Amino acid sequence: TILVHASGFIQGDDAAINLGDMAQQLRAIHLLRKLFPEHRVITLANSMKEHPLPPSQGFIKNLPAYLGKNRPETVNRLLLPIKVLWLLVNAFLLRIFGGTLACHPEARKALEGIRDSTFVFYAGAGPLNQRYLRGVAALWLLTATLTRILGTPLVLIGQQIGPLKLNILNKLLF
């Protein structure tokens, strides 16, 4: 399985689509299917609002489902850093011991999906940038960090990387 992180994402509540990023993603999926016909190419969702692109052979929403907003906004803002930290801890546990500890089922599925994939692929956009951490790029950066922690190869094509001023991000990613 090859996981492709969606970059043709839906922005906010207005359902606007970034067509340039979507075109890069569609091209990447077509090329991956051509180069690796024996693998399934599955897209990782950025939000629960997204739908799979036609050339994708699957669509995974586990990570946004785990991190999602199913509580009042104030509560969610307080819980999100704890959820992310617990996800990172469980990624280390999964890699070192092969199991997780008190891990939400959606989080476990996301971690196992990343761990069991051949590689995680990013095409286009500028997701690995600390300046965009308040939006969807936080999910992209989190997925890239989880990929590295789990020991799965991370392939970046046509990426803007940085600035990453937090030293821990540099250590986890590179």
Side-chain angles (χ1 to χ4, degrees), residues 16-54:
I17 297 174
N18 184 327
L19 293 177
D21 285 351
M22 184 175 284
Q24 290 178 355
Q25 182 184 351
L26 287 170
R27 183 68 180 141
I29 292 170
H30 281 294
L31 286 173
L32 289 170
R33 288 186 66 191
K34 186 175 181 180
L35 293 170
F36 303 99
E38 70 281 4
H39 288 79
R40 289 183 57 211
V41 178
I42 297 176
T43 307
L44 296 171
N46 293 311
S47 76
M48 296 304 290
K49 296 178 185 179
E50 286 184 325
H51 303 288
L53 294 171

Side-chain angles (χ1 to χ4, degrees), residues 65-114:
Y66 168 66
L67 298 172
K69 298 180 179 181
N70 52 359
R71 293 176 180 83
E73 186 64 29
T74 307
V75 175
N76 197 54
R77 264 192 238 139
L78 293 172
L79 287 178
L80 190 60
I82 296 167
K83 284 182 165 185
V84 168
L85 181 61
W86 197 242
L87 192 63
L88 294 170
V89 166
N90 274 292
F92 278 111
L93 292 173
L94 186 60
R95 179 163 186 191
I96 294 167
F97 300 110
T100 57
L101 178 65
C103 192
H104 187 279
E106 294 290 351
R108 187 178 310 106
K109 287 179 193 173
L111 292 173
E112 289 171 348
I114 293 169

Side-chain angles (χ1 to χ4, degrees), residues 3-4 13-14 41 48 56 58 67-68 84 92 97 102 131-132 134 138 141 143 147-148 159 173:
L3 300 179
V4 177
D13 294 328
D14 62 0
V41 178
M48 296 304 290
S56 178
L67 298 172
V84 168
F92 278 111
F97 300 110
R131 283 185 248 170
Y132 304 136
R134 298 192 119 185
L141 192 55
T143 305
T147 301
R148 296 289 296 149
Q159 293 295 313
L173 286 172

